[in-house]
Short mmCIF file of all heavy atoms in Angstrom, two decimals:
data_model
loop_
_atom_site.label_atom_id
_atom_site.label_comp_id
_atom_site.label_asym_id
_atom_site.label_seq_id
_atom_site.Cartn_x
_atom_site.Cartn_y
_atom_site.Cartn_z
N MET A 13 40.94 178.69 131.75
CA MET A 13 40.93 180.19 131.75
C MET A 13 40.57 180.66 130.39
O MET A 13 41.00 180.24 129.35
CB MET A 13 42.28 180.60 132.21
CG MET A 13 42.64 181.98 131.69
SD MET A 13 44.30 182.43 132.49
CE MET A 13 45.34 182.34 130.93
N ARG A 14 39.53 181.44 130.36
CA ARG A 14 39.03 181.93 129.07
C ARG A 14 39.86 183.34 128.69
O ARG A 14 40.00 184.03 129.43
CB ARG A 14 37.43 182.40 129.13
CG ARG A 14 36.67 181.09 129.40
CD ARG A 14 35.23 181.52 129.27
NE ARG A 14 34.83 181.87 127.90
CZ ARG A 14 34.15 181.24 127.15
NH1 ARG A 14 33.34 180.31 127.61
NH2 ARG A 14 33.78 181.59 125.99
N SER A 15 40.14 183.36 127.47
CA SER A 15 40.93 184.42 126.91
C SER A 15 40.06 185.23 126.03
O SER A 15 39.19 184.70 125.30
CB SER A 15 41.98 183.84 126.06
OG SER A 15 42.41 184.82 125.11
N PRO A 16 40.16 186.52 126.05
CA PRO A 16 39.33 187.39 125.12
C PRO A 16 39.83 187.18 123.63
O PRO A 16 39.09 187.60 122.77
CB PRO A 16 39.65 188.73 125.59
CG PRO A 16 40.97 188.67 126.27
CD PRO A 16 41.08 187.25 126.90
N TYR A 17 40.82 186.34 123.38
CA TYR A 17 41.31 186.22 122.07
C TYR A 17 40.59 184.81 121.44
O TYR A 17 41.03 184.52 120.42
CB TYR A 17 42.74 186.09 121.99
CG TYR A 17 43.28 187.50 122.41
CD1 TYR A 17 43.97 187.58 123.57
CD2 TYR A 17 43.15 188.61 121.57
CE1 TYR A 17 44.53 188.72 124.11
CE2 TYR A 17 43.70 189.86 122.01
CZ TYR A 17 44.33 189.85 123.38
OH TYR A 17 44.90 191.07 123.71
N THR A 18 39.83 184.24 122.23
CA THR A 18 39.12 182.87 121.68
C THR A 18 38.61 183.18 120.37
O THR A 18 38.74 182.26 119.44
CB THR A 18 38.20 182.44 122.62
OG1 THR A 18 38.84 182.17 123.95
CG2 THR A 18 37.63 181.14 122.26
N ARG A 19 37.90 184.24 120.06
CA ARG A 19 37.25 184.48 118.82
C ARG A 19 38.27 184.39 117.66
O ARG A 19 37.96 183.96 116.60
CB ARG A 19 36.57 185.76 118.74
CG ARG A 19 35.15 185.70 119.45
CD ARG A 19 34.43 186.92 119.04
NE ARG A 19 33.16 187.11 119.93
CZ ARG A 19 32.55 188.20 119.92
NH1 ARG A 19 32.81 189.31 119.17
NH2 ARG A 19 31.43 188.39 120.70
N VAL A 20 39.47 185.05 117.92
CA VAL A 20 40.43 185.01 116.86
C VAL A 20 40.88 183.72 116.36
O VAL A 20 40.95 183.27 115.32
CB VAL A 20 41.69 185.98 117.30
CG1 VAL A 20 42.70 185.89 116.22
CG2 VAL A 20 41.21 187.30 117.55
N GLU A 21 40.96 182.88 117.44
CA GLU A 21 41.46 181.52 117.18
C GLU A 21 40.31 180.84 116.39
O GLU A 21 40.76 180.06 115.51
CB GLU A 21 41.71 180.75 118.56
CG GLU A 21 42.99 181.25 119.31
CD GLU A 21 43.12 180.76 120.61
OE1 GLU A 21 42.23 179.86 121.09
OE2 GLU A 21 44.07 181.19 121.34
N ASN A 22 39.17 180.95 116.74
CA ASN A 22 38.08 180.37 116.06
C ASN A 22 38.09 180.74 114.67
O ASN A 22 37.83 179.97 113.74
CB ASN A 22 36.74 180.60 116.67
CG ASN A 22 36.51 179.87 118.00
OD1 ASN A 22 37.29 178.88 118.22
ND2 ASN A 22 35.70 180.45 118.75
N SER A 23 38.48 181.95 114.25
CA SER A 23 38.23 182.51 112.93
C SER A 23 39.36 181.83 112.08
O SER A 23 39.28 181.78 110.85
CB SER A 23 38.35 183.95 112.90
OG SER A 23 39.71 184.30 113.22
N THR A 24 40.49 181.26 112.69
CA THR A 24 41.45 180.67 111.80
C THR A 24 41.16 179.24 111.62
O THR A 24 41.71 178.63 110.77
CB THR A 24 42.82 180.73 112.53
OG1 THR A 24 42.81 179.98 113.76
CG2 THR A 24 43.24 182.18 112.90
N LEU A 25 40.10 178.81 112.29
CA LEU A 25 39.78 177.31 112.08
C LEU A 25 38.84 177.14 110.86
O LEU A 25 38.85 175.99 110.30
CB LEU A 25 39.05 176.68 113.25
CG LEU A 25 39.94 176.70 114.58
CD1 LEU A 25 39.08 176.22 115.79
CD2 LEU A 25 41.10 175.69 114.21
N ASP A 26 38.28 178.06 110.23
CA ASP A 26 37.39 177.76 109.22
C ASP A 26 38.04 178.14 107.99
O ASP A 26 37.25 178.24 106.93
CB ASP A 26 36.09 178.72 109.52
CG ASP A 26 36.35 180.21 109.56
OD1 ASP A 26 37.51 180.51 109.20
OD2 ASP A 26 35.53 180.86 109.96
N GLY A 27 39.34 178.34 107.90
CA GLY A 27 39.97 178.51 106.61
C GLY A 27 40.02 179.88 106.09
O GLY A 27 40.55 180.24 105.02
N THR A 28 39.51 180.78 106.90
CA THR A 28 39.53 182.19 106.47
C THR A 28 40.59 183.03 107.30
O THR A 28 40.50 184.25 107.20
CB THR A 28 38.17 182.90 106.72
OG1 THR A 28 37.72 182.81 108.01
CG2 THR A 28 37.16 182.17 105.72
N GLY A 29 41.34 182.34 108.01
CA GLY A 29 42.40 182.96 108.77
C GLY A 29 43.42 183.61 108.01
O GLY A 29 43.53 183.42 106.75
N GLU A 30 44.31 184.17 108.56
CA GLU A 30 45.45 185.01 107.85
C GLU A 30 46.66 184.18 107.58
O GLU A 30 47.60 184.66 106.92
CB GLU A 30 45.85 186.18 108.55
CG GLU A 30 44.77 187.21 108.75
CD GLU A 30 45.16 188.50 109.33
OE1 GLU A 30 46.22 189.05 108.88
OE2 GLU A 30 44.59 188.95 110.35
N GLU A 31 46.56 182.92 108.03
CA GLU A 31 47.86 181.99 107.93
C GLU A 31 48.28 182.05 106.38
O GLU A 31 49.42 181.93 106.12
CB GLU A 31 47.56 180.68 108.48
CG GLU A 31 47.63 180.63 109.89
CD GLU A 31 47.51 179.13 110.40
OE1 GLU A 31 48.10 178.19 109.72
OE2 GLU A 31 46.73 178.90 111.44
N VAL A 32 47.37 181.93 105.54
CA VAL A 32 47.58 181.81 104.08
C VAL A 32 48.56 182.93 103.70
O VAL A 32 49.45 182.71 102.88
CB VAL A 32 46.31 181.71 103.26
CG1 VAL A 32 46.67 181.70 101.81
CG2 VAL A 32 45.55 180.56 103.60
N ASN A 33 48.46 184.15 104.25
CA ASN A 33 49.15 185.36 103.84
C ASN A 33 50.60 185.13 104.27
O ASN A 33 51.40 185.95 103.91
CB ASN A 33 48.48 186.54 104.37
CG ASN A 33 47.21 186.70 103.79
OD1 ASN A 33 46.90 186.34 102.67
ND2 ASN A 33 46.16 187.25 104.55
N TYR A 34 50.85 184.19 105.17
CA TYR A 34 52.18 184.25 105.69
C TYR A 34 53.02 183.11 105.14
O TYR A 34 54.03 182.71 105.56
CB TYR A 34 52.14 184.05 107.26
CG TYR A 34 51.69 185.25 107.85
CD1 TYR A 34 50.31 185.25 108.51
CD2 TYR A 34 52.36 186.48 107.84
CE1 TYR A 34 49.90 186.46 108.99
CE2 TYR A 34 51.95 187.60 108.46
CZ TYR A 34 50.57 187.54 109.07
OH TYR A 34 50.25 188.77 109.63
N GLN A 35 52.55 182.51 104.00
CA GLN A 35 53.28 181.44 103.32
C GLN A 35 54.63 181.89 102.80
O GLN A 35 54.63 183.18 102.36
CB GLN A 35 52.55 180.85 102.12
CG GLN A 35 51.47 179.94 102.72
CD GLN A 35 50.70 179.28 101.44
OE1 GLN A 35 50.87 179.91 100.28
NE2 GLN A 35 50.00 178.31 101.59
N VAL A 36 55.65 181.28 102.87
CA VAL A 36 56.93 181.68 102.39
C VAL A 36 56.79 181.83 100.84
O VAL A 36 56.27 180.76 100.06
CB VAL A 36 58.03 180.65 102.69
CG1 VAL A 36 59.42 181.13 102.08
CG2 VAL A 36 58.23 180.55 104.16
N PRO A 37 57.19 182.89 100.24
CA PRO A 37 57.05 183.04 98.78
C PRO A 37 57.84 182.01 98.01
O PRO A 37 58.97 181.63 98.52
CB PRO A 37 57.55 184.48 98.48
CG PRO A 37 57.70 185.12 99.80
CD PRO A 37 57.75 184.02 100.86
N GLU A 38 57.32 181.51 96.96
CA GLU A 38 58.02 180.47 96.18
C GLU A 38 59.23 181.22 95.49
O GLU A 38 59.27 182.57 95.30
CB GLU A 38 57.29 179.98 95.10
CG GLU A 38 56.09 179.03 95.61
CD GLU A 38 55.50 178.38 94.48
OE1 GLU A 38 56.20 177.93 93.43
OE2 GLU A 38 54.22 178.22 94.56
N PRO A 39 60.33 180.51 95.32
CA PRO A 39 61.56 181.09 94.74
C PRO A 39 61.30 181.51 93.33
O PRO A 39 62.09 182.33 92.75
CB PRO A 39 62.66 180.12 94.87
CG PRO A 39 61.91 178.75 94.94
CD PRO A 39 60.55 179.17 95.63
N PHE A 40 60.27 181.27 92.65
CA PHE A 40 59.92 181.60 91.39
C PHE A 40 58.48 181.76 91.22
O PHE A 40 57.68 181.20 92.05
CB PHE A 40 60.49 180.54 90.33
CG PHE A 40 59.99 179.30 90.59
CD1 PHE A 40 58.76 178.86 90.02
CD2 PHE A 40 60.76 178.25 91.25
CE1 PHE A 40 58.30 177.49 90.26
CE2 PHE A 40 60.33 176.89 91.41
CZ PHE A 40 59.11 176.58 90.94
N GLU A 41 58.03 182.50 90.20
CA GLU A 41 56.56 182.52 89.90
C GLU A 41 56.26 181.89 88.67
O GLU A 41 57.09 181.61 87.87
CB GLU A 41 56.27 184.01 89.91
CG GLU A 41 56.28 184.84 91.13
CD GLU A 41 55.95 186.22 90.89
OE1 GLU A 41 54.88 186.47 90.28
OE2 GLU A 41 56.60 187.21 91.39
N ARG A 42 54.97 181.54 88.52
CA ARG A 42 54.50 180.88 87.40
C ARG A 42 53.68 181.81 86.61
O ARG A 42 52.93 182.63 87.15
CB ARG A 42 53.85 179.57 87.62
CG ARG A 42 54.83 178.47 88.14
CD ARG A 42 54.16 177.18 88.15
NE ARG A 42 55.21 176.14 88.68
CZ ARG A 42 55.86 175.55 87.90
NH1 ARG A 42 55.97 175.69 86.54
NH2 ARG A 42 56.79 174.69 88.25
N CYS A 43 53.74 181.59 85.26
CA CYS A 43 52.86 182.49 84.41
C CYS A 43 51.42 182.30 84.67
O CYS A 43 50.91 181.03 84.89
CB CYS A 43 53.05 182.15 83.00
SG CYS A 43 52.16 183.01 81.83
N VAL A 44 50.60 183.19 84.88
CA VAL A 44 49.20 183.12 85.18
C VAL A 44 48.41 182.54 83.92
O VAL A 44 47.27 182.02 84.03
CB VAL A 44 48.58 184.37 85.60
CG1 VAL A 44 49.05 184.89 86.98
CG2 VAL A 44 48.75 185.64 84.59
N TYR A 45 49.04 182.67 82.83
CA TYR A 45 48.32 182.16 81.47
C TYR A 45 48.68 180.82 81.14
O TYR A 45 47.73 179.98 80.88
CB TYR A 45 48.70 183.11 80.41
CG TYR A 45 48.33 184.62 80.62
CD1 TYR A 45 49.38 185.40 80.92
CD2 TYR A 45 47.07 184.94 80.68
CE1 TYR A 45 49.13 186.79 81.09
CE2 TYR A 45 46.67 186.28 80.94
CZ TYR A 45 47.76 187.17 81.11
OH TYR A 45 47.50 188.45 81.41
N CYS A 46 49.86 180.40 81.30
CA CYS A 46 50.34 179.06 80.83
C CYS A 46 51.07 178.34 81.79
O CYS A 46 51.65 177.13 81.64
CB CYS A 46 51.19 179.20 79.52
SG CYS A 46 52.83 179.93 79.71
N ASN A 47 51.21 178.89 83.13
CA ASN A 47 51.81 178.15 84.06
C ASN A 47 53.23 177.71 83.91
O ASN A 47 53.80 176.91 84.56
CB ASN A 47 51.00 176.93 84.52
CG ASN A 47 51.20 176.54 86.04
OD1 ASN A 47 51.30 177.45 86.88
ND2 ASN A 47 51.20 175.28 86.28
N THR A 48 54.01 178.45 83.04
CA THR A 48 55.34 178.24 82.82
C THR A 48 56.19 179.08 83.87
O THR A 48 55.78 180.10 84.16
CB THR A 48 55.72 178.64 81.25
OG1 THR A 48 54.91 177.89 80.54
CG2 THR A 48 57.20 178.41 81.15
N LYS A 49 57.24 178.47 84.26
CA LYS A 49 58.08 179.15 85.22
C LYS A 49 58.58 180.38 84.57
O LYS A 49 59.16 180.40 83.49
CB LYS A 49 59.38 178.29 85.53
CG LYS A 49 60.14 178.83 86.61
CD LYS A 49 61.33 177.85 86.85
CE LYS A 49 62.44 178.47 87.55
NZ LYS A 49 63.62 177.52 87.82
N LEU A 50 58.40 181.54 85.17
CA LEU A 50 58.87 182.81 84.65
C LEU A 50 60.37 183.02 84.79
O LEU A 50 61.00 182.56 85.74
CB LEU A 50 58.16 183.94 85.36
CG LEU A 50 56.65 184.00 85.33
CD1 LEU A 50 56.04 185.15 86.12
CD2 LEU A 50 56.25 184.21 83.79
N LEU A 51 61.00 183.72 83.85
CA LEU A 51 62.34 183.97 83.88
C LEU A 51 62.53 185.40 84.40
O LEU A 51 61.95 186.30 83.88
CB LEU A 51 62.82 183.94 82.45
CG LEU A 51 63.05 182.49 81.85
CD1 LEU A 51 63.55 182.69 80.29
CD2 LEU A 51 63.98 181.71 82.58
N PHE A 52 63.47 185.49 85.35
CA PHE A 52 63.59 186.87 86.05
C PHE A 52 65.02 187.32 85.62
O PHE A 52 65.94 186.45 85.52
CB PHE A 52 63.57 186.76 87.53
CG PHE A 52 62.17 186.70 88.10
CD1 PHE A 52 61.69 185.41 88.28
CD2 PHE A 52 61.56 187.77 88.44
CE1 PHE A 52 60.28 185.36 88.67
CE2 PHE A 52 60.26 187.76 88.94
CZ PHE A 52 59.54 186.58 89.11
N THR A 53 64.99 188.52 85.28
CA THR A 53 66.41 189.22 85.08
C THR A 53 66.57 190.33 86.04
O THR A 53 65.50 190.99 86.28
CB THR A 53 66.55 189.64 83.62
OG1 THR A 53 65.48 190.54 83.29
CG2 THR A 53 66.49 188.51 82.65
N HIS A 54 67.70 190.46 86.54
CA HIS A 54 67.90 191.68 87.51
C HIS A 54 69.12 192.42 86.92
O HIS A 54 70.17 192.01 86.64
CB HIS A 54 68.33 191.09 88.75
CG HIS A 54 67.30 190.34 89.60
ND1 HIS A 54 67.08 188.96 89.44
CD2 HIS A 54 66.17 190.85 90.18
CE1 HIS A 54 66.05 188.72 90.20
NE2 HIS A 54 65.49 189.80 90.69
N ASP A 55 68.74 193.76 86.62
CA ASP A 55 69.77 194.73 86.11
C ASP A 55 70.17 195.59 87.31
O ASP A 55 69.38 196.18 87.94
CB ASP A 55 69.17 195.56 85.08
CG ASP A 55 68.87 194.77 83.81
OD1 ASP A 55 69.63 193.88 83.50
OD2 ASP A 55 67.76 194.88 83.21
N LEU A 56 71.51 195.40 87.65
CA LEU A 56 71.92 196.05 88.72
C LEU A 56 72.54 197.47 88.24
O LEU A 56 73.35 197.64 87.37
CB LEU A 56 73.08 195.33 89.37
CG LEU A 56 73.85 195.89 90.68
CD1 LEU A 56 72.73 195.87 91.74
CD2 LEU A 56 74.89 195.01 91.06
N ASN A 57 72.08 198.44 88.86
CA ASN A 57 72.41 199.81 88.38
C ASN A 57 73.06 200.48 89.69
O ASN A 57 72.46 200.98 90.49
CB ASN A 57 71.14 200.73 88.04
CG ASN A 57 71.50 201.96 87.33
OD1 ASN A 57 72.56 202.51 87.58
ND2 ASN A 57 70.55 202.49 86.58
N LEU A 58 74.40 200.29 89.68
CA LEU A 58 75.05 200.75 90.82
C LEU A 58 75.09 202.34 90.91
O LEU A 58 75.33 202.91 91.92
CB LEU A 58 76.60 200.22 90.83
CG LEU A 58 76.72 198.74 91.11
CD1 LEU A 58 78.08 198.21 90.84
CD2 LEU A 58 76.14 198.46 92.44
N SER A 59 74.94 202.95 89.81
CA SER A 59 75.08 204.37 89.82
C SER A 59 73.85 204.92 90.64
O SER A 59 74.04 205.96 91.27
CB SER A 59 74.85 205.04 88.41
OG SER A 59 75.88 204.41 87.51
N TYR A 60 72.74 204.30 90.56
CA TYR A 60 71.62 204.73 91.35
C TYR A 60 71.34 203.93 92.49
O TYR A 60 70.28 204.02 93.17
CB TYR A 60 70.40 204.90 90.33
CG TYR A 60 70.57 205.87 89.29
CD1 TYR A 60 70.94 205.35 88.04
CD2 TYR A 60 70.32 207.27 89.45
CE1 TYR A 60 71.16 206.33 86.95
CE2 TYR A 60 70.56 208.09 88.52
CZ TYR A 60 70.93 207.70 87.20
OH TYR A 60 71.13 208.48 86.16
N LEU A 61 72.21 202.91 92.83
CA LEU A 61 71.97 201.88 93.71
C LEU A 61 70.52 201.30 93.72
O LEU A 61 69.79 201.20 94.49
CB LEU A 61 72.05 202.41 95.14
CG LEU A 61 73.48 202.89 95.56
CD1 LEU A 61 73.49 203.59 96.89
CD2 LEU A 61 74.44 201.63 95.53
N GLU A 62 70.20 200.90 92.51
CA GLU A 62 68.94 200.24 92.18
C GLU A 62 69.13 198.93 91.59
O GLU A 62 70.18 198.71 90.73
CB GLU A 62 68.22 201.17 91.23
CG GLU A 62 67.59 202.43 91.83
CD GLU A 62 66.98 203.25 90.72
OE1 GLU A 62 67.10 203.01 89.59
OE2 GLU A 62 66.23 204.17 91.21
N VAL A 63 68.05 198.14 91.69
CA VAL A 63 68.02 196.87 90.96
C VAL A 63 66.65 196.91 90.22
O VAL A 63 65.59 197.08 90.80
CB VAL A 63 68.10 195.71 91.87
CG1 VAL A 63 67.83 194.38 91.01
CG2 VAL A 63 69.32 195.51 92.59
N ILE A 64 66.79 196.63 88.85
CA ILE A 64 65.46 196.56 88.00
C ILE A 64 65.26 195.19 87.84
O ILE A 64 66.04 194.42 87.19
CB ILE A 64 65.72 197.38 86.67
CG1 ILE A 64 66.32 198.67 86.94
CG2 ILE A 64 64.35 197.42 86.04
CD1 ILE A 64 65.40 199.70 87.71
N GLU A 65 64.11 194.66 88.27
CA GLU A 65 63.79 193.26 88.18
C GLU A 65 62.75 193.21 87.03
O GLU A 65 61.63 193.77 87.14
CB GLU A 65 63.26 192.72 89.45
CG GLU A 65 62.90 191.26 89.27
CD GLU A 65 62.08 190.75 90.55
OE1 GLU A 65 60.85 190.93 90.70
OE2 GLU A 65 62.79 190.12 91.42
N SER A 66 63.04 192.44 85.99
CA SER A 66 62.03 192.22 84.96
C SER A 66 61.72 190.64 84.98
O SER A 66 62.68 189.90 85.17
CB SER A 66 62.45 192.70 83.58
OG SER A 66 63.56 193.61 83.70
N CYS A 67 60.56 190.33 84.54
CA CYS A 67 60.25 188.96 84.32
C CYS A 67 59.50 188.70 83.09
O CYS A 67 58.75 189.49 82.65
CB CYS A 67 59.58 188.27 85.61
SG CYS A 67 57.97 188.53 85.77
N ARG A 68 59.81 187.58 82.49
CA ARG A 68 59.18 187.24 81.14
C ARG A 68 58.83 185.69 81.19
O ARG A 68 59.43 184.92 81.64
CB ARG A 68 60.27 187.55 80.10
CG ARG A 68 59.76 187.11 78.76
CD ARG A 68 60.83 187.42 77.66
NE ARG A 68 60.66 186.87 76.44
CZ ARG A 68 60.91 185.65 76.24
NH1 ARG A 68 61.63 184.84 76.95
NH2 ARG A 68 60.73 185.07 74.96
N CYS A 69 57.77 185.41 80.61
CA CYS A 69 57.34 184.05 80.44
C CYS A 69 57.94 183.46 79.13
O CYS A 69 57.50 183.94 78.09
CB CYS A 69 55.85 184.02 80.38
SG CYS A 69 55.23 182.34 79.97
N PRO A 70 58.80 182.51 79.20
CA PRO A 70 59.25 181.88 77.96
C PRO A 70 58.16 181.15 77.28
O PRO A 70 58.40 180.73 76.02
CB PRO A 70 60.30 181.01 78.47
CG PRO A 70 59.91 180.61 79.82
CD PRO A 70 59.18 181.78 80.38
N GLY A 71 57.07 180.84 77.79
CA GLY A 71 56.07 179.99 77.15
C GLY A 71 55.24 180.93 76.14
O GLY A 71 55.09 180.56 75.03
N CYS A 72 54.65 181.94 76.75
CA CYS A 72 53.82 182.71 75.81
C CYS A 72 54.35 184.19 75.69
O CYS A 72 53.69 184.95 74.98
CB CYS A 72 52.44 182.75 76.51
SG CYS A 72 52.24 183.49 77.98
N GLY A 73 55.43 184.52 76.17
CA GLY A 73 56.07 185.83 75.88
C GLY A 73 55.57 187.03 76.78
O GLY A 73 56.00 188.16 76.56
N VAL A 74 54.68 186.60 77.65
CA VAL A 74 54.16 187.75 78.44
C VAL A 74 55.17 188.32 79.28
O VAL A 74 56.00 187.56 79.94
CB VAL A 74 52.95 187.25 79.28
CG1 VAL A 74 52.60 188.11 80.42
CG2 VAL A 74 51.69 186.99 78.44
N THR A 75 55.21 189.66 79.43
CA THR A 75 56.17 190.29 80.35
C THR A 75 55.49 190.97 81.39
O THR A 75 54.33 191.52 81.20
CB THR A 75 57.15 191.21 79.71
OG1 THR A 75 56.37 192.15 78.88
CG2 THR A 75 58.06 190.46 78.68
N LYS A 76 56.08 190.99 82.53
CA LYS A 76 55.51 191.92 83.68
C LYS A 76 56.17 193.30 83.72
O LYS A 76 57.36 193.28 83.26
CB LYS A 76 55.76 191.22 84.99
CG LYS A 76 54.67 190.30 85.52
CD LYS A 76 55.01 189.91 86.96
CE LYS A 76 53.98 189.26 87.70
NZ LYS A 76 54.63 188.94 89.02
N ALA A 77 55.52 194.24 84.20
CA ALA A 77 56.10 195.58 84.27
C ALA A 77 57.46 195.42 85.26
O ALA A 77 57.36 194.75 86.30
CB ALA A 77 55.24 196.50 84.90
N PRO A 78 58.52 195.88 84.81
CA PRO A 78 59.62 195.87 85.66
C PRO A 78 59.53 196.48 86.97
O PRO A 78 58.86 197.50 87.06
CB PRO A 78 60.75 196.56 84.88
CG PRO A 78 60.20 196.92 83.54
CD PRO A 78 58.73 196.65 83.57
N GLN A 79 60.08 195.88 88.04
CA GLN A 79 59.91 196.42 89.35
C GLN A 79 61.45 196.94 89.73
O GLN A 79 62.38 196.36 89.39
CB GLN A 79 59.63 195.45 90.35
CG GLN A 79 58.18 194.93 90.18
CD GLN A 79 57.76 193.97 91.31
OE1 GLN A 79 57.52 194.75 92.46
NE2 GLN A 79 57.58 192.77 91.13
N ARG A 80 61.33 198.04 90.43
CA ARG A 80 62.71 198.82 90.74
C ARG A 80 62.82 198.64 92.25
O ARG A 80 61.90 198.92 93.07
CB ARG A 80 62.62 200.30 90.30
CG ARG A 80 63.76 200.96 90.65
CD ARG A 80 63.63 202.37 90.19
NE ARG A 80 63.50 202.54 88.84
CZ ARG A 80 63.28 203.59 88.12
NH1 ARG A 80 63.36 204.74 88.78
NH2 ARG A 80 63.23 203.66 86.83
N PHE A 81 63.95 198.18 92.78
CA PHE A 81 64.20 198.09 94.07
C PHE A 81 65.44 198.97 94.38
O PHE A 81 66.38 199.08 93.60
CB PHE A 81 64.61 196.59 94.40
CG PHE A 81 63.39 195.61 94.15
CD1 PHE A 81 63.47 194.90 93.07
CD2 PHE A 81 62.41 195.51 95.10
CE1 PHE A 81 62.44 194.03 92.81
CE2 PHE A 81 61.39 194.70 94.85
CZ PHE A 81 61.46 193.93 93.76
N THR A 82 65.39 199.72 95.45
CA THR A 82 66.47 200.58 95.83
C THR A 82 67.37 199.77 96.89
O THR A 82 66.83 199.22 97.89
CB THR A 82 66.09 201.89 96.53
OG1 THR A 82 65.16 202.51 95.57
CG2 THR A 82 67.15 202.78 96.85
N LEU A 83 68.67 199.78 96.67
CA LEU A 83 69.45 199.08 97.57
C LEU A 83 69.80 199.88 98.75
O LEU A 83 69.74 201.04 98.72
CB LEU A 83 70.85 198.75 96.99
CG LEU A 83 70.75 197.85 95.66
CD1 LEU A 83 72.17 197.67 95.05
CD2 LEU A 83 70.23 196.36 96.01
N GLN A 84 69.89 199.26 99.96
CA GLN A 84 70.05 200.06 101.20
C GLN A 84 71.42 199.73 101.81
O GLN A 84 71.74 198.64 101.59
CB GLN A 84 68.92 199.85 102.07
CG GLN A 84 67.55 200.23 101.43
CD GLN A 84 66.44 200.26 102.50
OE1 GLN A 84 66.68 200.08 103.63
NE2 GLN A 84 65.32 200.67 102.10
ZN1 LIG B 120 53.05 182.21 79.76
#
């Protein structure tokens, strides 16, 4: 039986499918410059129910902009 979705299946066979986007994220990130494991720090701000996540590369000292998460 032919399915109208056959084309979608074919598109995943040539390596351009979306499967790559569904990989489980690694528990840590690596520095884009020196590939050193980044250090994450989480500052819990209970007053605002926020977590501020900062990360820094111990290898070259690069820091990423802190990200703010709101607790729910
Ligand atoms: Zn680095």
Side-chain angles (χ1 to χ4, degrees):
M13 152 178 111
R14 292 189 68 118
S15 152
Y17 299 107
T18 299
R19 275 193 196 172
V20 175
E21 291 170 6
N22 285 340
S23 74
T24 62
L25 292 177
D26 59 14
T28 60
E30 294 185 48
E31 280 185 40
V32 173
N33 296 328
Y34 292 109
Q35 283 182 342
V36 177
E38 292 188 37
F40 55 83
E41 291 184 46
R42 288 188 179 275
C43 177
V44 295
Y45 301 107
C46 66
N47 208 35
T48 300
K49 180 179 165 181
L50 297 177
L51 292 176
F52 283 86
T53 56
H54 293 95
D55 294 318
L56 188 60
N57 192 336
L58 287 177
S59 305
Y60 298 96
L61 293 177
E62 286 176 345
V63 175
I64 312 293
E65 180 191 82
S66 337
C67 77
R68 174 179 168 277
C69 171
C72 61
V74 165
T75 55
K76 266 187 169 179
Q79 294 191 68
R80 180 180 300 182
F81 301 97
T82 302
L83 301 178
Q84 300 193 358

